[in-house]
Amino acid sequence: MLKKVNAIVEEFLRTRSLIRISYRVKSRDFIMLPPLSSNLLKAAVASSEDLRDIWEMYAESKRPRKVLYKALRLPGSGGRLIALEGKKGLLHMDPDKFYEAEIVLISDSNALMSYLPKPYVSVKTPYGEVELEVTTIDIIREVPASTAGSVRVRFLTPTILSKKIATPPWLSKRASALKDSYSLLPTPGLLAGSVLKNLLEHLGEIGKKDQRVPYMALRFFDLFVEEVDHELKPVTVLLGKDDKGNMRRGRGTIGWINYRAMNEGVARAFVRLLKIAEIVGVGKSRGIGLGEISLSLDS
């Protein structure tokens, strides 16, 4: 299994470039934000002629999305601007105050340069006028492995993991008729399988015969990686209104969990998958800022 996982990661990194564009975002006026503040960033890209290449890349990629918009966050605290059910106050931007945001592009390596944005744009969106200033652009072609004894994963925005990855291949046809269901317990296998499924989708290798790979990875990493400690909280995130004006909701997990691999080979593969997820997210609605994680390694 390790050989197969490592081969998929290598193929993904060989044929794709991950471009992480970090912004400072400012508004001259008070702006009410949508429940997912990433939609402000998405609207800015859609409304700016200077960011047309990124918008076209987003519009052309249905599943999997090749453009991922992260939630706005407050400098210093790192708190993400996302509306949770039961949380008081409305999301907003104060005038002349800087916020941080990111756009991640998953690009064909040969088309890399066409997506690099201008360093500064000012754009009118349906929410208000905002200024976007590029602070850094990271072009990631390699993700180093690690033999860390343990890894702490922080779930910075609600993470929604599909249970269908845990379906044995011989039951996949029957399970496809069931509605989607999600887990609030991010086991190591569910995380690894979710990341691996996303990589296979980008490589165009997911089909009826390939569903077995994420499933086998789930069983493998659940066996060879253990949970050591955690502080997790289930939350309901507001996703915005549907076409009928009804608020859509999602149930996910925030908090942290510590994992420890049984040996160095498993640790290398597991951490490498998580490092990719640290850039592109994991689980449902990664394209609008859910499933954002960060890692800390302990030898």
Side-chain angles (χ1 to χ4, degrees):
M1 190 70 234
L2 284 179
K3 186 176 180 180
K4 181 67 173 177
V5 169
N6 290 330
I8 292 169
V9 170
E10 289 297 333
E11 176 68 8
F12 176 77
L13 294 173
R14 185 182 66 81
T15 59
R16 303 292 185 273
S17 290
L18 302 176
I19 309 170
R20 181 168 50 201
I21 308 168
S22 300
Y23 286 100
R24 288 202 307 174
V25 185
K26 186 178 75 169
S27 169
R28 295 179 182 177
D29 302 307
F30 181 91
I31 288 183
M32 295 297 298
L33 292 171
L36 288 173
S37 59
S38 56
N39 281 324
L40 172 69
L41 200 57
K42 178 180 173 181
V45 172
S47 303
S48 173
E49 191 62 36
D50 292 327
L51 300 172
R52 178 58 51 188
D53 287 342
I54 294 178
W55 178 252
E56 289 179 354
M57 182 180 180
Y58 172 81
E60 290 171 0
S61 63
K62 298 300 181 183
R63 179 175 177 177
R65 288 290 189 188
K66 296 181 181 179
V67 179
L68 312 174
Y69 302 100
K70 301 295 183 73
L72 270 65
R73 60 182 184 265
L74 298 170
S77 70
R80 271 60 177 173
L81 299 184
I82 287 181
L84 300 179
E85 194 166 66
K87 185 178 180 180
K88 295 181 180 180
L90 297 174
L91 295 186
H92 66 275
M93 289 181 65
D94 290 321
D96 296 319
K97 182 177 180 178
F98 284 108
Y99 297 79
E100 296 174 346
E102 285 183 6
I103 299 175
V104 174
L105 312 179
I106 303 174
S107 167
D108 184 315
S109 296
N110 295 326
L112 182 62
M113 298 306 295
S114 63
Y115 299 115
L116 300 184
K118 290 189 175 181
Y120 171 88
V121 296
S122 179
V123 57
K124 293 182 179 179
T125 78
Y127 308 102
E129 186 171 355
V130 293
E131 300 172 9
L132 304 178
E133 179 186 355
V134 174
T135 55
T136 60
I137 298 178
D138 298 317
I139 300 174
I140 301 159
R141 298 180 183 272
E142 181 54 61
V143 177
S146 172
T147 58
S150 64
V151 55
R152 172 170 289 194
V153 179
R154 293 188 180 276
F155 302 94
L156 304 174
T157 59
T159 300
I160 305 175
L161 300 171
S162 173
K163 288 183 177 180
K164 284 193 174 181
I165 296 175
T167 305
W170 53 90
L171 291 177
S172 59
K173 186 175 181 180
R174 181 175 294 181
S176 65
L178 301 175
K179 71 174 186 178
D180 288 335
S181 60
Y182 303 95
S183 176
L184 294 175
L185 301 173
T187 70
L190 196 54
L191 274 178
S194 297
V195 178
L196 200 61
K197 182 174 184 291
N198 180 237
L199 300 189
L200 286 168
E201 287 174 342
H202 279 287
L203 293 172
E205 296 180 11
I206 274 288
K208 291 183 179 179
K209 294 182 179 179
D210 303 294
Q211 296 290 346
R212 60 180 297 274
V213 177
Y215 169 75
M216 294 301 294
L218 178 147
R219 299 301 300 270
F220 178 85
F221 285 104
D222 271 348
L223 182 62
F224 287 100
V225 179
E226 60 182 346
E227 300 96 335
V228 179
D229 197 6
H230 69 82
E231 187 174 294
L232 300 172
K233 178 182 178 182
V235 294
T236 298
V237 58
L238 304 181
L239 302 174
K241 294 183 178 180
D242 61 19
D243 295 337
K244 296 181 180 180
N246 299 317
M247 181 61 70
R248 297 179 297 118
R249 292 169 169 81
R251 191 75 168 158
T253 301
I254 58 174
W256 57 264
I257 186 166
N258 286 1
Y259 302 103
R260 181 167 58 213
M262 299 296 188
N263 60 58
E264 290 188 357
V266 174
R268 287 191 189 95
F270 185 60
V271 170
R272 209 167 185 205
L273 287 172
L274 292 179
K275 281 182 172 291
I276 293 175
E278 192 174 29
I279 302 166
V280 303
V282 60
K284 182 181 178 182
S285 300
R286 297 171 301 103
I288 50 176
L290 299 188
E292 186 176 354
I293 67 170
S294 68
L295 306 184
S296 54
L297 305 178
D298 183 6
S299 59

